């Protein structure tokens, strides 16, 4: 069954045409103690290698080919795959939203401090990852130009670098 899945990888027409070849093997897999885990791995692989097919389309193809016992397991497993995908999508969406909000805040701070933000600076900010945005948002407080805000650490003028922490004298 695994070899067949590898052989049809990315070939949607062949997957549809030959899916019936694995029906008996699918029923056998589900009789094994780890059958559901194996089925989930198989379904994940098919979903990943047939991007033009939805999870539901792959499920319908497998359900047609499989016996009644396998059909229930396929539906259950596909539901779980979809729920995990939705959760992952929500988490990624929140992270993207935070980065977009941080980028917008930085653009507003730059405009308030330096005036109109040059298009190249704006584009760089909008394309940046969250770690860079955090560093730049802090740096806007001490930088003398918008370019200094985005400069790499080695390129920043000495005046914009944070002073070294002072050591406190110990009282004896």
């Amino acid at each position: 069954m695994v070899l067949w899945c590898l052989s049809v990888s990315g070939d949607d027409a062949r997957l549809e045409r030959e899916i019936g070849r694995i029906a008996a093997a699918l029923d056998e897999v589900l009789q094994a103690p780890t059958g559901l885990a194996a089925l989930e791995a198989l379904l994940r692989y098919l979903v990943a290698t047939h991007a033009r097919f939805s999870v539901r389309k792959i499920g319908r193809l497998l359900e047609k080919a499989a016996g009644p016992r396998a059909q229930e397991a396929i539906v259950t497993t596909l539901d779980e795959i979809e729920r995990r995908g939705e959760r992952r999508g929500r988490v990624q969406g929140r992270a993207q939203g935070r980065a977009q909000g941080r980028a917008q805040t930085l653009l507003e701070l730059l405009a308030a401090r330096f005036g109109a933000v040059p298009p190249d600076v704006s584009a760089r900010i909008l394309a940046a990852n969250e770690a860079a945005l955090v560093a730049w948002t802090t740096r806007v407080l001490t930088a003398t130009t918008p370019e200094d805000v985005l400069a790499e650490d080695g390129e920043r003028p000495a005046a914009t670098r944070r002073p070294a922490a002072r050591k406190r004298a110990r009282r004896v």
Side-chain angles (χ1 to χ4, degrees):
M1 190 163 69
V2 170
L3 291 175
W4 176 81
C5 287
L6 290 170
S7 75
V8 299
S9 175
D11 188 343
D12 298 338
R14 188 167 166 221
L15 170 68
E16 284 185 286
R17 194 173 54 246
E18 297 180 8
I19 192 81
R21 293 177 60 185
I22 65 164
L26 197 54
D27 283 332
E28 269 185 60
V29 164
L30 288 171
Q31 291 174 14
T34 58
L36 285 176
L39 175 65
E40 183 175 351
L42 170 81
L43 289 171
R44 285 185 181 287
Y45 181 79
L46 290 174
V47 167
T49 59
H50 295 276
R52 291 189 334 207
F53 284 174
S54 68
V55 172
R56 287 289 158 209
K57 167 96 176 178
I58 290 173
R60 282 192 302 273
L61 290 171
L62 281 170
E63 284 176 51
K64 267 195 248 179
R69 181 164 185 243
Q71 288 175 349
E72 185 178 332
I74 290 167
V75 169
T76 303
T77 304
L78 286 173
D79 285 344
E80 180 58 30
I81 289 171
E82 279 188 332
R83 277 193 298 276
R84 287 181 193 162
E86 288 169 2
R87 283 192 300 265
R88 193 175 311 117
R90 284 193 299 269
V91 168
Q92 289 171 348
R94 283 193 298 267
Q96 286 175 337
R98 278 194 310 270
Q100 288 172 347
R102 202 177 289 275
Q104 192 58 45
T105 298
L106 179 56
L107 289 169
E108 290 167 4
L109 290 171
L110 285 170
R113 175 119 196 247
F114 303 110
V117 178
D120 61 317
V121 171
S122 181
R124 189 165 168 204
I125 289 169
L126 292 171
N129 64 34
E130 192 164 357
L133 292 168
V134 168
W136 295 343
T137 302
T138 302
R139 201 178 295 161
V140 77
L141 299 171
T142 57
T144 56
T145 67
E147 291 76 17
D148 287 348
V149 173
L150 306 184
E152 299 297 323
D153 282 332
E155 301 172 354
R156 290 174 50 208
T160 64
R161 290 195 186 126
R162 193 179 260 177
R166 295 181 186 168
K167 294 182 182 177
R168 292 184 179 196
R170 283 200 267 175
R171 293 182 184 186
V172 187

